[in-house]
């Protein structure tokens, strides 16, 4: 099957990110033709001058629309794209030169209507970015759900690096209004319609994540709030592992209380976990400063997600309100 690719990239007030991403497109080694569709999601800082500066080198379409969130913006881009296979990227990603070659190789070997690729850190990233990348992608923290491990069963692609056929887009009508969580929701609806998803482990992107510790906490806290909503929408996808960050958070607090009471065993178990995580981060990044910051990132990730998950689970259990009423910050209204 001949695939005509359309890259779908929503952007919100981040022209510098778009410049780095478009620059990486100019370095791709692929001989395949493709188009790039930029969707400006109601930005007050326009990316159009940056996009225009690449128009002589790349096949780019630019659209401006009112702010309605990344999911709706991706849908808008796919509706206006000319290709039959869409590749969705976040604006803070950078492509390695072989990216599209790997995608084509995988699709030619075993075609699927939806794929996801991993994210990783480039050597030029800051120590903070590398530490957060380790925390978000390491098996010891996330179990490989973002595509770091080949053993992932029934992979749920993430929209920072995701492929979707036009056929699958039409069948599902694309992303919903929830954010974050719109990508696993789409994956589950694809499965329900009989479509397959697959991890393309070599089609990775460099994910820059311009973020601070406080922003990282807010991000993972939202991830935690979203998961019980997805469990309520799709009960068959519930997993005990989704409780792990909450159990970790509560267990850590209890271990501190027990330590105060001179019962240190539980605290020692957490020390062992952190020691293993530190060594793993050090071996992975070969940077002791990144390894130290990885411990901070892991703690923030578990506590942020765990607290969000517990709060959302409690509210959904005891309240008669809808998720949209309980957590309006997690939903965009489509324009």
């Amino acid at each position: 099957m001949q695939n005509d690719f359309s890259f779908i990239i929503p952007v919100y007030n981040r022209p510098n990110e778009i410049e780095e991403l478009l620059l990486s497109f100019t370095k791709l080694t692929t001989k395949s033709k493709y188009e790039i569709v930029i969707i400006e999601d109601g930005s007050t800082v326009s990316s159009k001058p940056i996009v225009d500066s690449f128009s002589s080198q790349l096949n780019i379409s630019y659209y401006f629309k009112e702010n309605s969130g990344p999911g709706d913006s991706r849908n808008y881009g796919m509706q206006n794209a000319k290709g039959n296979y869409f590749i969705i990227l976040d604006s803070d990603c950078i492509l390695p030169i072989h990216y599209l070659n790997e995608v084509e190789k995988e699709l030619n070997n075993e075609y699927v209507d939806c794929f996801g690729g991993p994210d990783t850190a480039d050597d030029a990233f800051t120590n903070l970015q590398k530490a957060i990348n380790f925390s978000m992608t390491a098996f010891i923290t996330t179990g490989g759900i973002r595509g770091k491990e080949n053993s992932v069963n029934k992979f749920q692609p993430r929209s920072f690096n995701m492929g979707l056929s036009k056929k699958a887009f039409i069948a599902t009508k694309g992303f919903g209004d929830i954010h974050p969580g719109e990508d696993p929701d789409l994956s589950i609806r694809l499965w329900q319609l009989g479509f397959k998803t697959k991890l393309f482990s070599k089609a990775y992107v460099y994910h820059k994540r311009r973020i601070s510790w406080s922003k990282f906490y807010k991000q993972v806290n939202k991830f935690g709030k979203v998961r019980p909503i997805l469990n309520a929408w799709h009960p068959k996808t519930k997993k005990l592992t989704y409780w792990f960050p909450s159990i970790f958070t509560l267990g850590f607090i209890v271990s501190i209380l027990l330590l105060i009471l001179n019962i240190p065993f539980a605290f020692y178990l957490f020390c062992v976990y952190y020691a293993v995580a530190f060594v793993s981060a050090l071996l992975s990044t070969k940077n002791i400063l990144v390894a130290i910051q990885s411990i901070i990132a892991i703690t923030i990730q578990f506590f942020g997600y765990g607290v969000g998950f517990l709060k959302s689970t409690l509210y959904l259990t005891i309240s008669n309100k809808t998720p949209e009423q309980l957590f309006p910050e997690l939903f965009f209204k489509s324009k």
Side-chain angles (χ1 to χ4, degrees), residues 9 11-16 18-19 22 38-41 43-56 60-65:
I9 307 165
V11 60
Y12 181 71
N13 285 340
R14 292 180 174 181
N16 291 339
I18 284 295
E19 184 172 21
L22 293 179
I38 305 292
I39 309 96
E40 191 95 64
D41 186 25
S43 299
T44 56
V45 183
S46 176
S47 297
K48 192 173 188 306
I50 299 296
V51 173
D52 288 344
S53 69
F54 283 90
S55 60
S56 62
I60 308 178
S61 299
Y62 171 89
Y63 296 92
F64 181 92
K65 53 179 280 298

Side-chain angles (χ1 to χ4, degrees), residues 129-150:
Q129 289 168 331
K130 292 176 181 177
I132 291 176
N133 175 76
F134 175 83
S135 180
M136 293 287 283
T137 63
F139 185 81
I140 195 172
T141 56
T142 62
I145 63 171
R146 294 175 71 91
K148 202 69 174 180
E149 302 295 324
N150 291 324

